[in-house]
Amino acid sequence: MAEIERIIFWQPCVSPHTSGLLSEIAAQRPGVKVISCAHEGLLVDRKGLGWSVDDVSLYEEVIAPSKEEIRELIEHSPKKTLHILGGIRWIPTIVTAISYIKATNSHFAILQEPRVAQGLSGIVRRVQSILTEGWFRKHCSFVLGIGRNGPPWFESVGYSKAKVFPFAYFIPAPEKKSTDFAQSQKIRLCYVGRHIEMKGVEDIIIA
């Protein structure tokens, strides 16, 4: 792979899960231009939950790019750009980007959660991935599988184990606050996510 000069993250929407990552990469690699290219901005329902992305000063942010903008981003120095795909289906911006990545034989990687594998629909998704992701398996530089089920999913649908790496969502560390537990025996835990088994809410109860 040529010396990377740009990293472009193709995302379904703006997310604090990746903004911290982009800022850190930009800070650690000042010679590399980091770009976030999202199909849409921060979702309204997530804003309602208190999500925010405040500091994008270290990287460039592009929201809802046109087809021409996508083409220009990808065709400019294709051999010195690494594209990180936050999905490979359904999202028009990402699907369009993939078509130009294929045409230019550009370097790319995948950063994605596993597909839902439970039940009959899970079996159908697994078969679909096995049958339709041959090009991605062959040409991707690496896969960042999110969560404990991420790497096993990608390996189960044919991605080389040598290319698959465990990854996680994260956000910038909060400000440190001193806590005096001597004043109270109660410890409050905050769970962020849907209250469903697949999200692991029962793990907190068991722990």
Side-chain angles (χ1 to χ4, degrees), residues 1-123:
M1 183 183 294
E3 185 68 25
I4 294 299
E5 296 180 354
R6 295 191 309 166
I7 301 177
I8 303 179
F9 285 75
W10 298 93
Q11 306 182 81
C13 62
V14 171
S15 169
H17 285 320
T18 51
S19 64
L21 172 63
L22 270 64
S23 292
E24 190 64 24
I25 291 175
Q28 295 292 329
R29 295 290 184 269
V32 176
K33 185 177 180 64
V34 179
I35 303 172
S36 168
C37 196
H39 182 68
E40 55 187 322
L42 187 61
L43 301 179
V44 173
D45 61 340
R46 294 186 175 182
K47 287 182 180 179
L49 293 172
W51 289 33
S52 65
V53 177
D54 300 320
D55 184 11
V56 298
S57 61
L58 295 179
Y59 61 90
E60 180 180 338
E61 186 173 66
V62 179
I63 299 175
S66 66
K67 187 174 182 179
E68 182 62 22
E69 287 174 317
I70 295 171
R71 183 187 66 79
E72 289 181 358
L73 278 170
I74 294 173
E75 291 186 352
H76 175 69
S77 301
K79 301 307 177 187
K80 295 185 178 181
T81 299
L82 174 64
H83 301 276
I84 308 291
L85 302 177
I88 59 175
R89 290 183 174 84
W90 319 126
I91 307 301
T93 293
I94 298 178
V95 172
T96 300
I98 289 171
S99 68
Y100 287 119
I101 288 170
K102 286 183 177 180
T104 56
N105 196 29
S106 297
H107 303 297
F108 76 94
I110 298 171
L111 169 61
Q112 189 178 325
E113 293 183 358
R115 304 181 77 184
V116 177
Q118 286 79 11
L120 179 59
S121 59
I123 296 175

Side-chain angles (χ1 to χ4, degrees), residues 175-192:
E175 295 181 9
K176 293 183 178 180
K177 296 181 180 180
S178 60
T179 303
D180 185 2
F181 290 115
Q183 296 177 4
S184 172
Q185 294 302 311
K186 294 181 179 179
I187 299 176
R188 294 184 178 182
L189 300 177
C190 176
Y191 175 84
V192 180

Side-chain angles (χ1 to χ4, degrees), residues 89-206:
R89 290 183 174 84
W90 319 126
I91 307 301
T93 293
I94 298 178
V95 172
T96 300
I98 289 171
S99 68
Y100 287 119
I101 288 170
K102 286 183 177 180
T104 56
N105 196 29
S106 297
H107 303 297
F108 76 94
I110 298 171
L111 169 61
Q112 189 178 325
E113 293 183 358
R115 304 181 77 184
V116 177
Q118 286 79 11
L120 179 59
S121 59
I123 296 175
V124 173
R125 290 187 189 97
R126 192 181 303 276
V127 172
Q128 181 192 35
S129 287
I130 291 171
L131 295 178
T132 64
E133 296 178 23
W135 180 84
F136 295 97
R137 290 192 293 268
K138 181 178 180 180
H139 295 285
C140 71
S141 296
F142 57 88
V143 177
L144 301 177
I146 296 174
R148 64 184 178 186
N149 295 322
W153 166 267
F154 285 101
E155 291 171 23
S156 75
V157 296
Y159 288 82
S160 168
K161 188 173 184 178
K163 287 186 175 183
V164 178
F165 299 90
F167 206 67
Y169 285 136
F170 53 88
I171 56 176
E175 295 181 9
K176 293 183 178 180
K177 296 181 180 180
S178 60
T179 303
D180 185 2
F181 290 115
Q183 296 177 4
S184 172
Q185 294 302 311
K186 294 181 179 179
I187 299 176
R188 294 184 178 182
L189 300 177
C190 176
Y191 175 84
V192 180
R194 287 179 292 156
H195 293 173
I196 58 176
E197 182 180 359
M198 187 176 68
K199 291 290 186 179
V201 66
E202 292 184 356
D203 294 342
I204 277 190
I205 298 172
I206 293 170

